[in-house]
Amino acid sequence: MNLFKFSSPQTFYSLAGKLAPAFGVIAAVLAAIGLYISFFVAPTDAVQGEVYRIIFIHVPAAWMSMVIYLAMAFWSAIGLGLGTRVSFYMSKALAPTGALFCFLALWTGALWGRPTWGTYWAWDARMTSQLLLLFLYFGHIALTNAIEDARRADKAGAIIALVGAVNIPVIYFSVKWWNTLHQGSSINLTKISVVNTMLIGMLIMALAAWAYSIAVALVRVRSIILERERRTEWAGVEIAAQGGRA
Amino acid sequence: MNWDSLSAFIDMGGRGAFVWGSYGVTLALIVAELWTLSQRRRDTLRRLSRLQQLNGDELNGNDSQSS
Amino acid sequence: MSKAFIAVLRRDLLLAWRSRADLLVALSFFVVVASLFPFGVGSDPDQLRAIGPGVVWVAALLATLLALPRMFSQDFDSGVLEQLLLSQEPPVVWVSAKIAAHWLSTGLPLVVVSPLLALMYGLKPSAIEVLALALLIGTPILSLIGAIGAALTLGLRGAGSLLALLVLPLMVPVLIFGAGSVDAWASGIGLRAHLLLMGGGLFAALALAPFASAAALRITMD
């Protein structure tokens, strides 16, 4: 199989068009199963009661926000290394969804923290790193939008994605270090006893989030490809064919 | 089955606001993202096809002048 | 190679000296920001002593940020940057020189003035030494990280606030270890770990940031 074949925007455009609905269906089915397990199969937690059920979106959202940033860095590295335009497009298409999951992780964390820790926000290592990750997303999106020259925007976004990815472990480690030195507040992470059904529910929800992210990124990348390749012949044909219906 | 009734399901052991606040916002944001995505595709196609028509007219105009 | 480094360093320092009024503005900003906090949080000496190192560090971070756009923008406007990119020297060499000059003209003055601010916050003399030492190791890292952001945002509208959004999250670890070193010293944990980590961070930044900045400049000038 020739992987470079898919690096042509035209091939990737039609491939994305075929794959996006498939991933969308997978996401919907997995989410339905996951939600059923979350609410009807997983038992009530002995310590936290029902509120722990937030875990089924909180943890997948937090995972996804990190995975997507790494995926952006991965596409950026490929784009800078091989000069494939599609890689940059993918990186750009992933960013809003990553920011969305990052925000959701913070939001659900706050709503989970209030009844269990008695506070919406704590300067806990994980929460703080998550907040900084959200800032990294904002920075990436703001930078790529601020640069008018599309190619410069691509490459600049790639550099900041890579620099951010290198920094994420440093940020996490430093925040953790800082947190252990400043353990002033009286917050104890009340452990929940993870039972198998919970773990399975969480994993299925995480897989649903994966499939959703892929589907959404593929749809978004199609718009980006059309926009950027509009002067090529195939894109012109596609625009003429689809534009009439829109 | 964890719930005796619909109201028990909504109540979530007294933490309904937190649980549904989490799930509700998640759902709302996902719907919002899907909506902006479809808007974006429509807008892009519309704008680009308009651009194409404009350029096409321009090209034709130039052709008639040169011939 | 080192000749080009020294030539660019010399030239940039000379230019910085000629526009020293601008540098004084950044330095005054540092002092003013750090002096604002007591008006906001009250003048309780114990509280001020506790927040002092953090305040000085945050002020240093902001002052560095304020001076960052200057790093490349003048040469970008005058076309010198383009000439440098066309020259035979590897960009890393003169980019490193420019970062070094920038730190010497904006970072080092902050380190020198910081003991005064620390005195205003009632820090003990030995804590003041620790703070200055931490700033001495930490501010070059800020300049190095900042250089990447400055290169990426060069010539953009609203570059200043964009630059802040880009580089401030990346600077958080420096802030943590920098301000933390004073606390660690005061609480008797010892400085070693903090200073070693910051030193390690400095070497890592020295090894990576000039390359990233040079790549960013190439992209910007393309």
Side-chain angles (χ1 to χ4, degrees), chain A residues 162-218:
Chain A
L162 284 172
V163 171
V166 170
N167 258 280
I168 286 175
V170 180
I171 290 175
Y172 181 73
F173 170 71
S174 62
V175 170
K176 205 170 162 151
W177 169 289
W178 161 77
N179 189 244
T180 47
L181 288 181
H182 294 258
Q183 205 86 63
S185 52
S186 60
I187 282 172
N188 293 311
L189 287 160
T190 23
K191 286 260 161 52
I192 58 168
S193 47
V194 178
V195 297
N196 271 337
T197 45
M198 277 183 205
L199 202 61
I200 290 168
M202 226 154 72
L203 284 175
I204 291 177
M205 289 298 274
L207 288 175
W210 270 79
Y212 169 82
S213 308
I214 295 172
V216 168
L218 287 178

Side-chain angles (χ1 to χ4, degrees), chain C residues 140-157:
Chain C
I141 311 181
L142 301 183
S143 292
L144 284 160
I145 297 174
I148 304 173
L152 286 174
T153 55
L154 198 53
L156 298 180
R157 248 184 300 123

Side-chain angles (χ1 to χ4, degrees), chain A:
Chain A
M1 195 175 73
N2 184 5
L3 275 175
F4 280 95
K5 206 184 88 186
F6 294 111
S7 70
S8 124
Q10 183 181 6
T11 323
F12 197 78
Y13 179 84
S14 62
L15 183 73
K18 285 186 199 113
L19 288 179
F23 277 105
V25 170
I26 295 172
V29 170
L30 285 175
I33 300 171
L35 285 172
Y36 179 76
I37 295 176
S38 317
F39 283 109
F40 299 105
V41 180
T44 306
D45 184 68
V47 183
Q48 293 197 11
E50 308 295 354
V51 78
Y52 92 91
R53 290 181 199 281
I54 293 174
I55 201 174
F56 296 110
I57 40 176
H58 174 73
V59 171
W63 282 347
M64 216 56 230
S65 64
M66 278 177 264
V67 168
I68 290 180
Y69 201 91
L70 290 180
M72 281 166 60
F74 168 79
W75 287 114
S76 301
I78 291 194
L80 287 176
L82 303 176
T84 42
R85 296 198 296 284
V86 166
S87 318
F88 294 126
Y89 302 162
M90 265 317 271
S91 181
K92 193 168 161 54
L94 281 164
T97 306
L100 173 82
F101 278 117
C102 201
F103 171 79
L104 282 177
L106 288 167
W107 174 265
T108 55
L111 284 184
W112 192 9
R114 176 75 193 143
T116 42
W117 303 342
T119 173
Y120 286 109
W121 179 261
W123 293 94
D124 156 77
R126 265 181 289 182
M127 292 166 85
T128 316
S129 314
Q130 193 77 39
L131 183 67
L132 290 171
L133 182 62
L134 186 63
F135 294 161
L136 291 184
Y137 274 116
F138 285 167
H140 184 273
I141 294 171
L143 179 69
T144 48
N145 287 339
I147 302 177
E148 276 171 28
D149 177 55
R151 292 184 134 186
R152 181 184 162 190
D154 281 347
K155 291 180 180 167
I159 286 198
I160 203 69
L162 284 172
V163 171
V166 170
N167 258 280
I168 286 175
V170 180
I171 290 175
Y172 181 73
F173 170 71
S174 62
V175 170
K176 205 170 162 151
W177 169 289
W178 161 77
N179 189 244
T180 47
L181 288 181
H182 294 258
Q183 205 86 63
S185 52
S186 60
I187 282 172
N188 293 311
L189 287 160
T190 23
K191 286 260 161 52
I192 58 168
S193 47
V194 178
V195 297
N196 271 337
T197 45
M198 277 183 205
L199 202 61
I200 290 168
M202 226 154 72
L203 284 175
I204 291 177
M205 289 298 274
L207 288 175
W210 270 79
Y212 169 82
S213 308
I214 295 172
V216 168
L218 287 178
V219 174
R220 194 176 282 122
V221 86
R222 270 163 67 87
S223 292
I224 296 175
I225 291 176
L226 271 192
E227 176 94 20
R228 302 287 284 278
E229 306 286 328
R230 60 178 180 270
R231 291 190 188 86
T232 61
E233 199 179 324
W234 74 267
V237 173
E238 172 73 9
I239 292 163
Q242 301 284 325
R245 274 188 269 163

Side-chain angles (χ1 to χ4, degrees), chain C residues 83-91 94:
Chain C
Q83 284 182 1
L84 280 169
L85 271 170
L86 289 171
S87 73
Q88 295 213 315
E89 295 298 332
W94 54 262

